[in-house]
Amino acid sequence: MGGIGAERDVSIQSGTCVAEALGAAGYDVVTSDVRPDRLDILEDSSVDVFFPALHGEFGEDGKLQQILEDKGLVYAGSGPVASDLAFDKMAAKKAFVQAGVLTPAAVRFNCETDLAEESACGGFAGKCVVKPIRQGSSVGVSIVSDVREAVETARRTAEEFGDCMIEEFIAGRELTVGILCDKALPIIEIRTKAGFYDYHAKYVDEETQFLFDTVAEPALVRQVQSTAMNCFVALGCRDFARVDFILGGDNRAYVLEVNTIPGFTTHSLLPKAAAKAGLSMADLCVRIVEAAIASAGKGR
């Protein structure tokens, strides 16, 4: 847990929760606050399985997973290629489109972009979403009202975070689907006081609502869950993930992204979905560890 990214504090919360859950399940657990230059824990031969709970840079981008692969270590979650693909929002969008999954249109933007506003925004009209291409937890995400504001915001975002994207805004309901061991968990609808599930709403605001059974039509439930699995497979993910959607007014689900290491905090959505499916936090973490061991046995 820990790491070097903007989500370091959340990662420490997630790692602590995972450690407590596995300890309650009877596992011997050791925690480690890791960095690229502080990986001594990987030399500990007493560790049977590594459980990465690092969000963002050097956790979710495939770099740590590549080191684990190179050392031949058993670890939970997606491999380096799938992790990197999911972490790059533009690359993931391309994979979604190839898989026939709906996703909001977007264009890449960086500090060298010097185009007319209309071209820079891909011809989008009205509201747009500006977001860093390689960040998580809604870090650096802005909803803007028009093309001019989108370009100005994208320039600031690119200066702070590197390449970003300007994405078509889809009005609708925010949904998320957890994936555990190749099965979709119950759908959660997220409703926030601010109308946008930003970092504050995710980890601070106690008024954020996480609702089950608000998607009433069985056929639509199956469609959204099936689409989540299609995204999971399209990126080559393993063991667990979380897929975020906007359900448009036309009842079509647009995928936003796949989180290969979603949060495991008390506010986090994967544990909430697992609980709805009858799994405690300990059950969830144990299943993930068992999946990692089983995958390793198959030559993952």
Side-chain angles (χ1 to χ4, degrees):
M1 59 183 176
I4 59 175
E7 300 164 79
R8 171 180 169 79
D9 290 345
V10 178
S11 172
I12 290 173
Q13 293 177 49
S14 286
T16 300
C17 290
V18 170
E20 290 174 352
L22 288 172
Y27 283 78
D28 293 324
V29 184
V30 59
T31 61
S32 181
D33 184 348
V34 303
R35 305 173 58 90
D37 59 351
R38 191 166 64 210
L39 295 172
D40 294 349
I41 188 64
L42 302 188
E43 307 305 323
D44 186 341
S45 60
S46 70
V47 177
D48 297 309
V49 183
F50 291 89
F51 194 125
L54 286 88
H55 312 306
E57 185 181 359
F58 193 69
E60 212 164 351
D61 58 7
K63 291 184 174 63
L64 177 61
Q65 289 77 5
Q66 188 61 62
I67 293 170
L68 291 163
E69 289 278 347
D70 292 343
K71 291 180 175 293
L73 300 172
V74 179
Y75 65 96
S78 295
V81 174
S83 298
D84 181 60
L85 182 56
F87 196 63
D88 185 320
K89 294 180 176 64
M90 287 297 289
K93 275 184 179 292
K94 183 177 179 180
F96 299 150
V97 170
Q98 290 174 342
V101 173
L102 282 175
T103 185
V107 293
R108 183 181 292 268
F109 192 101
N110 58 41
C111 292
E112 283 70 52
T113 300
D114 185 18
L115 300 169
E117 291 174 1
E118 291 76 12
S119 299
C121 290
F124 306 147
K127 282 186 175 181
C128 299
V129 184
V130 179
K131 58 181 72 171
I133 287 176
R134 298 179 67 84
Q135 287 288 337
S137 284
S138 299
V139 172
V141 176
S142 304
I143 296 178
V144 298
S145 59
D146 55 34
V147 169
R148 180 181 296 276
E149 188 180 358
V151 172
E152 293 173 354
T153 302
R155 292 196 189 283
R156 292 195 300 270
T157 303
E159 288 173 0
E160 182 174 0
F161 297 104
D163 285 12
C164 65
M165 68 184 193
I166 301 172
E167 184 179 60
E168 174 188 18
F169 177 81
I170 305 292
R173 299 153 64 187
E174 295 192 58
L175 307 180
T176 193
V177 179
I179 306 292
L180 176 62
C181 302
D182 296 327
K183 291 184 179 179
L185 294 172
I187 298 169
I188 299 177
E189 179 173 354
I190 303 149
R191 295 181 187 170
T192 67
K193 184 172 60 175
F196 169 45
Y197 192 43
D198 60 7
Y199 187 96
H200 181 82
K202 285 182 177 178
Y203 301 112
V204 180
D205 192 349
E206 296 293 342
E207 294 186 39
T208 301
Q209 294 180 293
F210 306 104
L211 306 173
F212 291 98
D213 304 321
T214 59
V215 181
E217 306 90 332
L220 183 57
V221 170
R222 291 192 296 271
Q223 178 195 346
V224 172
Q225 291 179 318
S226 175
T227 300
M229 278 303 310
N230 288 343
C231 294
F232 185 84
V233 171
L235 299 184
C237 298
R238 299 188 301 227
D239 300 346
F240 66 100
R242 199 191 75 232
V243 187
D244 296 339
F245 293 91
I246 291 292
L247 184 65
D250 55 1
N251 263 2
R252 296 202 298 172
Y254 295 80
V255 65
L256 299 178
E257 63 180 300
V258 174
N259 301 272
T260 54
I261 304 182
F264 285 86
T265 74
T266 55
H267 274 67
S268 296
L269 300 173
L270 183 66
K272 290 180 185 295
K276 177 67 174 178
L279 301 173
S280 67
M281 181 66 167
D283 295 331
L284 170 64
C285 294
V286 167
R287 287 204 181 185
I288 289 171
V289 168
E290 290 176 343
I293 294 169
S295 296
K298 297 175 183 176
R300 65 188 295 170

